[in-house]
């Protein structure tokens, strides 16, 4: 696996790949690599792409400085895990290369806004789209892999490509779940055993209610689940809503519906979504 920190070295690798007509598959991440990330790299391999993973904890997508400072970092472990699954290249962008004009972000995507995470993390998606645009223009991948775990992010990234007519295929990847039914997340590396306990109990209630919602979407089920999550020990719930996959509008019909949830266990943010069809 090639480890690249410099954009000049990255460009050399990319040039060689283009000469050989090799497909370039980009997997943007913030590191603390887990099975969810690995599944994206495996998808890139299945499509015969040269897999490039980027690890960059993007400061402009954090709307809270403590959240940024506490975001887990495990570069050495990440390198070992990525080597093990034969990832082709690992790119550690430098902040000055991502943000040559300083830490600014632009609002370029106006669809799928003012709902879900955008309501609770103002400016977050502007940070995401700014860094994704930068990675796309630097790497010019043929395919970019994004997880359905961050469903709203996936929809917004798809819009970057559509609105700008970029020659990039966005490849959505299903969520890889822990034994408790919740998706893997880097943030869970910071859980204490007590927080993990709360997380598992909440997971149990979510799973049961997802099962009920799969049969029939009923507001009462959502209200009861909401109460249960708080009683078990979540600090707050940002949203617990059933929306359609296509347009992310609220629905009471199972067709292409998902349950979207975001809550905090102390300072640790949990977001996830569940297919209801
Ligand atoms: P992150 O490092 O959390 O920014 O995630 C990098 C990419 O991995 C994003 O496209 C995420 O949606 C995706 N991802 C994160 N967790 C999972 C998971 N459990 N299953 C599938 N994809 C995931």
């Amino acid at each position: 696996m090639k480890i690249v920190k410099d954009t000049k070295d990255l460009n050399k690798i990319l040039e060689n790949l283009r000469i050989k007509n090799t497909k370039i598959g980009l997997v943007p991440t913030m590191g603390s690599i887990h099975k969810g990330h690995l599944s994206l790299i495996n998808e890139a391999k299945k499509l015969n792409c040269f897999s490039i993973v980027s690890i960059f904890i993007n400061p402009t997508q954090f709307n809270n400085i403590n959240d940024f400072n506490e975001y887990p970092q495990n570069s050495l472990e990440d390198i070992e895990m990525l080597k093990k699954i034969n990832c082709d290249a690992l790119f550690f962008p430098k902040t000055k290369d991502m943000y040559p004009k300083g830490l600014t972000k632009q609002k370029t995507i106006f669809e799928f806004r003012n709902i879900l995470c955008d309501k609770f993390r103002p400016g977050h998606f502007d940070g995401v789209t700014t860094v994704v645009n930068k990675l796309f223009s630097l790497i010019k991948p043929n395919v970019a892999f994004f997880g359905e775990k961050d469903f709203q992010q996936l929809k917004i990234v798809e819009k970057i490509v559509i609105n700008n007519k970029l020659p990039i295929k966005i490849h959505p990847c299903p969520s890889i779940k822990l034994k408790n039914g919740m998706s893997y997340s880097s943030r869970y590396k910071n859980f204490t055993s007590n927080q993990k306990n709360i997380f598992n109990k909440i997971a149990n209630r979510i799973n049961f209610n997802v099962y009920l919602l799969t049969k029939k979407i009923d507001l009462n089920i959502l209200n009861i689940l909401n109460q249960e999550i708080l009683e078990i020990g979540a600090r707050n719930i940002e949203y617990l809503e059933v929306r359609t996959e296509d347009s992310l509008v609220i629905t009471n019909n199972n067709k292409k519906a998902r349950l979207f949830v975001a809550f905090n266990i102390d300072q640790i943010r949990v977001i996830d979504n569940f297919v209801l069809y």
Side-chain angles (χ1 to χ4, degrees):
M1 181 177 74
K2 294 186 166 102
I3 299 179
V4 194
K5 293 187 179 164
D6 199 280
T7 50
K8 269 192 204 145
D9 297 338
L10 179 73
N11 283 333
K12 265 188 219 149
I13 294 172
L14 294 171
E15 229 170 80
N16 263 324
L17 292 170
R18 291 204 179 94
I19 291 169
K20 290 188 209 145
N21 244 334
T22 305
K23 265 197 295 179
I24 297 164
L26 172 65
V27 180
T29 81
M30 298 208 293
S32 281
I33 298 297
H34 53 64
K35 284 188 182 169
H37 297 125
L38 298 182
S39 75
L40 271 53
I41 299 155
N42 283 329
E43 280 296 303
K45 293 180 156 296
K46 267 195 227 157
L47 296 189
N48 283 324
C49 291
F50 181 93
S51 52
I52 303 183
V53 172
S54 62
I55 294 185
F56 182 61
I57 304 180
N58 174 32
T60 64
Q61 72 186 71
F62 288 83
N63 51 329
N64 174 333
I65 184 73
N66 292 335
D67 192 24
F68 174 64
N69 290 335
E70 284 165 21
Y71 198 85
Q73 288 191 48
N74 299 287
S75 304
L76 294 179
E77 246 178 70
D78 288 350
I79 291 170
E80 285 317 305
M81 285 177 83
L82 294 172
K83 274 185 185 165
K84 238 188 206 164
I85 66 150
N86 295 321
C87 167
D88 295 304
L90 168 57
F91 175 42
F92 285 109
K94 294 188 184 122
T95 306
K96 72 171 170 50
D97 290 330
M98 291 289 104
Y99 294 99
K101 292 181 188 154
L103 290 178
T104 57
K105 54 186 167 188
Q106 288 81 42
K107 183 164 187 159
T108 53
I109 302 296
F110 295 85
E111 294 97 335
F112 304 117
R113 303 298 297 260
N114 305 321
I115 55 167
L116 301 170
C117 292
D118 195 35
K119 222 165 122 181
F120 295 90
R121 303 185 75 191
H124 163 70
F125 285 118
D126 298 331
V128 170
T129 52
T130 300
V131 82
V132 168
N133 266 318
K134 185 71 203 182
L135 287 169
F136 282 178
S137 73
L138 194 66
I139 296 174
K140 298 184 178 63
N142 301 89
V143 193
F145 298 82
F146 287 85
E148 290 179 354
K149 184 212 166 227
D150 301 289
F151 206 85
Q152 190 178 14
Q153 169 175 280
L154 169 64
K155 302 293 288 183
I156 286 176
V157 168
E158 283 175 341
K159 279 288 175 201
I160 298 181
V161 166
I162 295 167
N163 294 0
N164 299 297
K165 299 190 174 67
L166 299 179
I168 300 173
K169 191 183 171 323
I170 301 299
H171 189 94
C173 300
S175 299
I176 304 300
K177 306 254 177 179
L178 292 153
K179 269 199 216 114
N180 69 8
M182 304 291 286
S183 300
Y184 279 87
S185 163
S186 306
R187 290 175 179 275
Y188 305 158
K189 300 203 173 166
N190 284 343
F191 274 151
T192 61
S193 64
N194 185 43
Q195 289 167 336
K196 204 180 251 175
N197 208 0
I198 292 172
F199 178 58
N200 284 332
K201 283 185 185 158
I202 292 175
N204 182 287
R205 295 319 299 157
I206 291 179
N207 287 327
F208 178 68
N209 285 284
V210 163
Y211 164 76
L212 296 181
L213 288 166
T214 308
K215 294 182 182 258
K216 186 179 185 302
I217 292 167
D218 178 349
L219 213 56
N220 283 327
I221 299 176
L222 291 180
N223 288 336
I224 292 168
L225 178 58
N226 196 300
Q227 209 175 318
E228 285 179 331
I229 292 173
L230 291 172
E231 275 169 13
I232 293 168
R235 189 181 72 191
N236 65 322
I237 298 176
E238 291 183 352
Y239 54 79
L240 182 68
E241 295 169 345
V242 177
R243 290 180 178 264
T244 63
E245 288 181 347
D246 293 341
S247 46
L248 295 187
V249 293
I250 299 244
T251 182
N252 55 10
N253 184 318
N254 282 88
K255 194 167 172 238
K256 283 195 160 186
R258 287 185 185 231
L259 173 68
F260 292 87
V261 63
F263 57 88
N264 285 281
I265 299 176
D266 299 324
Q267 79 290 8
I268 297 173
R269 192 160 187 273
V270 177
I271 79 161
D272 217 332
N273 64 82
F274 303 84
V275 171
L276 298 179
Y277 54 90

